[in-house]
Amino acid sequence: MTGNLLVRGGTVVLPTGRREADVWIDKGRVAAVGPKLAVPPGTPELDARGRWVFPGVIDSQVHFREPGNEHKEDLATGSTAAIAGGVTSVFEMPNTSPSTTDGDAILEKLRRAAGRMRTDHAFFLGATAENADQLGEWEHTPGCCGIKVFMGSSTGDLLVWDDENLERVLCSGTKRIAVHSEDDPRLKERYRQLVEGAPVTEHPHVRDVETAVRSTTRLLDLVERTGRRVHLLHISTAEEVELVRERDLGDLVTTEVTPNHLFLVAPDCYLQHGTYAQMNPPVRDQRHRDALRQALVDGFFTCIGSDHAPHTLEEKAKPFPHSPSGIPGVGTTLPLLLTAVRDGWLTLEQVAEFTANGACRVWEPRTKGCLEVGRDGDLVVVDPEVTQELPLEWLHSKVGWSPYVGTRLAGWPMTTVLRGRIAWHEHAPVGDPAGVPVLF
Ligand code: DOR
């Protein structure tokens, strides 16, 4: 299902610059971008005067919990939370229950998504020691964006912690591998030493800088040896930024940062939000946050992923360390980045780069892009005049909480367009869910 649409008179923001222009989408694909376009009579129009028109956000790291934990989120609610935040494509992680560890499991997720998801979507294949040799075959399943490796234990039981099996994974297939990089032996040792009753402010010390650096060092050694392309998810330390820079492995290594690591800071976030600010790898102190912000500004990071990781209020209320790690966020990435523009440390163009173009550079989807002619007509129209505090009702995750409720906004996504169809407008869905698989 695709649409025809003329988005009239907005400020089109692309990674390369911004200009007053119309966007004409014909049969779902961008047909032209330019001033005062003449289009076939009868083409539906959306008035974007006074608004910013961004490429649809591509969130390449979300956890939507289906199958197995639909009480936290499901593909329908997760994609609703996404489209409400200007997200038009999501790439979903394999730590569901059961885990997504073969081609059939990907096809099963695609079946469940059909007619229920409001965004386009693709799914990661989880690597294990058992399936390592077949990853190269299953990574070609349609709708599979790539492979995901957990080097450190997090939510779920996916784990490949040792160099021998990691190397087998890196030698199986060719698609880029997304990596959660924390050293599992060190994690196990440090959780053993943690005293019962320790406060959640200990979280970034249990999963410390050395845990991240040790793992990333081992990974980069393996990347150098095997020549396999990897994508380092949610980098959380200044030291890893330095390490990746020093090793200078070019396109073999792409990188992601999450809004949580850019907009929360320890210990304040733990004092304010308790275990609701707990995620893996942890939000750390200001030295790291400042280094990550600077690295983003400098162009070190390829993209921003939300790591939307919903757990219910009741689950999060358990005492640390029994509280699950993860923060919902698929709907707040774009609004938070707009506050960074207001505060003067990011440009609108950088926002377009990190929310849309970056993920395309990493995962190379066939028809997605940044409003280039011939690509999918996915976009989001932002009203820069919305400056109120974020209310919970504007977020649509099943879990019903976010550490960002109350944040003073600097713009809000009012209309989200998916392949030429208005899919979300002024806080409400439009039409039936029409998301389709993203192909690579
Ligand atoms: O905090 C996290 N939560 N980090 C992960 O790696 C997994 C995620 C989840 O699925 O809950």
Side-chain angles (χ1 to χ4, degrees), residues 287-342:
R287 178 174 76 84
H288 296 287
R289 192 200 58 180
D290 290 352
L292 298 173
R293 284 186 175 189
Q294 190 59 49
L296 185 69
V297 170
D298 293 345
F300 169 82
F301 285 107
T302 325
C303 69
I304 294 179
S306 71
D307 193 10
H308 177 79
H311 299 283
T312 65
L313 280 165
E314 296 71 30
E315 290 163 342
K316 290 293 274 185
K318 288 183 189 165
F320 178 77
H322 310 290
S323 40
S325 290
I327 302 173
V330 70
T332 42
T333 297
L334 180 59
L336 285 172
L337 292 174
L338 295 174
T339 71
V341 175
R342 174 200 58 203

Side-chain angles (χ1 to χ4, degrees), residues 61-65 72 93 95-96 148 150 152-156 180 182 203 207 233-234 278-282 307-311 316 324-327:
Q61 190 186 180
V62 302
H63 303 266
F64 281 175
R65 311 298 190 205
K72 299 176 197 262
M93 286 294 163
N95 58 332
T96 44
K148 164 78 180 276
F150 284 88
S153 305
S154 193
T155 302
H180 178 125
E182 289 185 288
H203 186 57
R207 305 180 84 106
L233 298 166
H234 42 44
Q278 176 193 331
M279 70 171 292
N280 304 331
D307 193 10
H308 177 79
H311 299 283
K316 290 293 274 185
S325 290
I327 302 173

Side-chain angles (χ1 to χ4, degrees), residues 352-382:
E353 173 64 33
F354 301 132
T355 59
N357 197 45
C360 292
R361 293 201 285 134
V362 176
W363 301 108
E364 304 176 282
R366 254 190 242 170
T367 62
K368 299 302 178 188
C370 284
L371 300 178
E372 297 97 349
V373 170
R375 299 256 158 189
D376 286 353
D378 298 342
L379 58 83
V380 47
V381 178
V382 168

